[in-house]
Amino acid sequence: MTADAQRRRAFWQILLFTAGLLVLTWISAGSVYLVNKARDDSKWVIHTIEVENQVNALLLEVRRAESSARGYLLTLGPEFLSDHDAALATIPQALDKLTRQIGDNPAQRASIAKLHEAVQARLEQFSREMDLVKRGEPDSAAALLRQAAASNSTDTIREVAASMTAEEERLFSLRSANADRSQTLAASLTGIGSGLVVVLALLSTWLVRRSAGVRDDAEARLRDANTNLEATVDERTADLREANNEIQRFAYIVSHDLRSPLVNIMGFTSELEELGRDIFRRIGSLARAPADGPQVEGADVALDGADKQLAEDFSEALGFIKSSIGKMDRLISAILDLTREGRREFEPVRIDTRELIEAIAATVAHQAAEARAEIHVGEVPDIVSDRLALEQIFSNLIDNAIKYLKTGVPGAITVRGRTKFGYAIFEVTDNGRGIDPKDHQRIFDLFRRAGTQDKPGQGIGLAHVRALVRRLGGTMSVSSELNVGSTFTITLPIKWNASNRNEEHR
């Protein structure tokens, strides 16, 4: 081999060695870079999962606080109060941890501000509810709880949490894709390095697998957290449902047992009335008959003076007793009807709402004509719900509108509806007496009535209506002014089924 050839060979050897060294350096540097990037991407994936887990943990504590508050108001059990206090103590810590975790995301910082505000508002509501219970005002606490349920603080918490979760899901998909891409490139470069980078390839593979294992562990922890959350919510829901069923059973048993002595009282009152007639007939006969004259059995004899007054007082007392017995009988019957209705299983069917309301208006046309009232049915959406429950709701509202019209003023009753965000909103408006603002919540309480009591009723109708609306997954409210009129607003799901109701109670 000539010197020139040797020089050329040495040159090419050096060139190939340099190229190989550069390639090896490039492969090694690229592999190290991509492995580190994959590890960082995996850390961000884990971070995203931890944020989602923290959001779910915060929601769990809020729901636990709400469930224990409802349980405490229903049973005044100390276990519910202690659970409620524990949840309230955990919520600020969970919120602060979530705030620190999302500090790197401007979009999430805007959401966390809204979440802070909504959670603070809900905590203040919890504080007011517990203060009312401690002051011995459970009814006021229950009213405040219903008002809090109708407000948008809980919905805001849920919506903001859902928005944050959606953002983290988006980041999870993006970061997972980046991690997968980085891992693929690292594996390719490691393969190209052949035998010279075997050790580095093994190390890179180990690092990649370790990162994937960390991510899998984080995903497993998230799945466990979600499972525990669902189990806890199901357990609380079952407890509340069992308490509600127990109350219904108790009301049914008490009402049923009261009917038996009431029937006895009614029977003996009738016998007492017959006995009174015989007694006063005998008194009249003795007062008018001569000392040695014959007595006429069964003849009606007019009473005079003190005897007449005594007979009238006796009849009046019996009248009050019979009136009270009749009122008690109607109340017991109403309670039994409520408990039976609470146990009835609803069956969702598609309902032509306009046809249903017009049929109800036709059944009360005679009462409306006597009250000089007109019933107008506007545009109303069709829904999927329980037909009987819907008939009872609108029948009660229309009947009340006719019953409480202003004397001497032609009545105008309007039923209309619209849809919004998957719900149907119905309004029943009248130009009747109206309701004092201080009685807006009172009228929904069982056996409670407002205003002048000059119409028959037991104070059950609106309480029954609101119970039906809630079982259908909806809400009910009233806006009214004295001597102006009232508007009852019913919000129901457009498509209701049993699972809707379960989700509402969660």
Side-chain angles (χ1 to χ4, degrees):
M1 181 179 298
T2 62
D4 292 336
Q6 291 179 347
R7 286 194 296 268
R8 287 194 298 272
R9 181 179 179 182
F11 171 78
W12 285 111
Q13 287 178 344
I14 295 173
L15 182 60
L16 290 173
F17 176 80
T18 303
L21 182 61
L22 292 175
V23 169
L24 179 60
T25 303
W26 177 78
I27 291 176
S28 299
S31 298
V32 172
Y33 169 78
L34 290 175
V35 168
N36 289 334
K37 187 176 185 302
R39 184 169 53 190
D40 291 338
D41 290 338
S42 298
K43 289 181 180 179
W44 281 112
V45 170
I46 296 171
H47 174 76
T48 302
I49 296 172
E50 290 175 345
V51 171
E52 289 186 37
N53 190 24
Q54 190 62 27
V55 171
N56 289 328
L58 177 60
L59 284 177
L60 171 62
E61 295 304 324
V62 173
R63 290 170 181 166
R64 184 159 70 104
E66 291 177 342
S67 299
S68 56
R70 292 192 184 97
Y72 184 63
L73 289 178
L74 286 174
T75 65
L76 296 180
E79 66 278 7
F80 287 105
L81 180 60
S82 60
D83 192 27
H84 179 73
D85 292 337
L88 291 184
T90 307
I91 288 174
Q93 301 174 3
L95 189 59
D96 290 340
K97 183 176 180 180
L98 179 60
T99 304
R100 292 192 300 270
Q101 287 177 331
I102 56 88
D104 60 286
N105 191 329
Q108 295 289 52
R109 286 199 297 269
S111 297
I112 201 68
K114 297 179 182 177
L115 190 59
H116 265 286
E117 182 179 354
V119 169
Q120 186 60 38
R122 195 69 183 97
L123 290 177
E124 292 174 0
Q125 290 170 349
F126 284 141
S127 177
R128 291 198 298 271
E129 292 165 8
M130 292 300 107
D131 288 342
L132 288 172
V133 174
K134 292 177 182 177
R135 292 204 302 266
E137 299 178 21
D139 291 340
S140 300
L144 183 58
L145 180 62
R146 290 191 296 269
Q147 179 182 356
S151 65
N152 63 353
S153 58
T154 302
D155 291 338
T156 301
I157 293 174
R158 188 162 45 248
E159 291 170 2
V160 173
S163 174
M164 296 180 69
T165 302
E167 172 63 14
E168 292 301 325
E169 289 290 344
R170 185 188 68 83
L171 292 176
F172 178 83
S173 299
L174 180 63
R175 291 167 177 173
S176 297
N178 291 338
D180 292 339
R181 185 166 52 251
S182 299
Q183 293 169 9
T184 301
L185 290 175
S188 300
L189 288 175
T190 302
I192 296 173
S194 67
L196 295 177
V197 290
V198 169
V199 175
L200 182 60
L202 293 175
L203 180 61
S204 299
T205 302
W206 176 76
L207 290 175
V208 169
R209 289 180 177 177
R210 188 181 67 171
S211 299
V214 172
R215 184 181 64 183
D216 292 340
D217 291 341
E219 291 176 348
R221 289 196 300 271
L222 178 60
R223 286 192 297 270
D224 292 341
N226 289 335
T227 301
N228 294 334
L229 174 62
E230 293 177 358
T232 302
V233 172
D234 289 340
E235 180 181 355
R236 300 301 182 191
T237 303
D239 291 342
L240 292 176
R241 188 176 293 113
E242 180 61 28
N244 184 54
N245 292 337
E246 187 64 29
I247 292 172
Q248 289 186 351
R249 288 193 294 269
F250 176 76
Y252 180 81
I253 293 172
V254 170
S255 302
H256 187 273
D257 290 347
L258 286 176
R259 179 62 61 81
S260 178
L262 184 63
V263 170
N264 291 333
I265 294 173
M266 293 172 66
F268 283 113
T269 301
S270 298
E271 293 186 11
L272 185 61
E273 187 175 22
E274 292 296 329
L275 182 60
R277 291 196 189 98
D278 293 340
I279 291 173
F280 287 112
R281 187 182 299 114
R282 181 67 61 85
I283 291 173
S285 299
L286 294 175
R288 290 185 177 277
D292 55 353
Q295 299 291 334
V296 180
E297 293 295 336
D300 292 334
V301 180
L303 300 175
D304 295 325
D307 293 336
K308 182 179 180 181
Q309 182 62 43
L310 182 60
E312 291 176 352
D313 291 343
F314 184 81
S315 298
E316 183 180 4
L318 282 178
F320 283 130
I321 293 175
K322 293 172 71 176
S323 175
S324 298
I325 291 173
K327 182 176 181 180
M328 182 175 290
D329 183 61
R330 290 191 296 272
L331 288 176
I332 292 174
S333 297
I335 293 174
L336 287 172
D337 290 341
L338 284 177
T339 55
R340 292 191 189 102
E341 182 63 30
R343 294 193 299 271
R344 184 176 70 85
E345 291 295 331
F346 286 172
E347 296 181 1
V349 296
R350 177 163 292 281
I351 300 172
D352 186 334
T353 312
R354 183 180 183 85
E355 179 184 355
L356 181 141
I357 297 174
E358 287 178 345
I360 294 172
T363 61
V364 297
H366 180 68
Q367 296 95 308
E370 289 182 348
R372 296 167 51 204
E374 292 185 358
I375 302 175
H376 175 69
V377 182
E379 293 294 330
V380 290
D382 295 340
I383 64 175
V384 174
S385 192
D386 183 82
R387 176 176 289 277
L388 179 57
L390 214 61
E391 287 177 351
Q392 292 175 328
I393 290 170
F394 286 109
S395 293
N396 272 281
L397 294 179
I398 294 175
D399 184 67
N400 279 354
I402 295 175
K403 184 186 298 184
Y404 296 107
L405 289 172
K406 288 188 291 185
T407 304
V409 178
I413 302 170
T414 303
V415 182
R416 58 180 176 269
R418 64 185 187 279
T419 59
K420 184 177 182 181
F421 300 131
Y423 284 85
I425 303 173
F426 300 97
E427 294 180 346
V428 180
T429 303
D430 64 68
N431 62 338
R433 300 179 183 180
I435 305 168
D436 194 308
K438 64 183 178 62
D439 293 327
H440 283 185
Q441 292 301 320
R442 174 191 177 94
I443 60 175
F444 294 111
D445 294 337
L446 201 60
F447 306 124
R448 303 290 294 275
R449 303 176 70 189
T452 305
Q453 306 301 312
D454 59 347
K455 300 292 182 180
Q458 288 79 43
I460 291 178
L462 288 178
H464 186 203
V465 168
R466 186 171 63 172
L468 290 174
V469 170
R470 287 179 173 175
R471 284 195 66 192
L472 292 174
T475 60
M476 180 178 183
S477 62
V478 62
S479 61
S480 179
E481 295 182 25
L482 284 174
N483 300 318
V484 176
S486 305
T487 297
F488 287 87
T489 303
I490 307 293
T491 302
L492 296 172
I494 294 178
K495 293 183 179 180
W496 179 88
N497 53 49
S499 62
N500 293 146
R501 181 168 177 258
N502 293 337
E503 290 173 3
E504 291 292 333
H505 285 292
R506 291 182 182 182

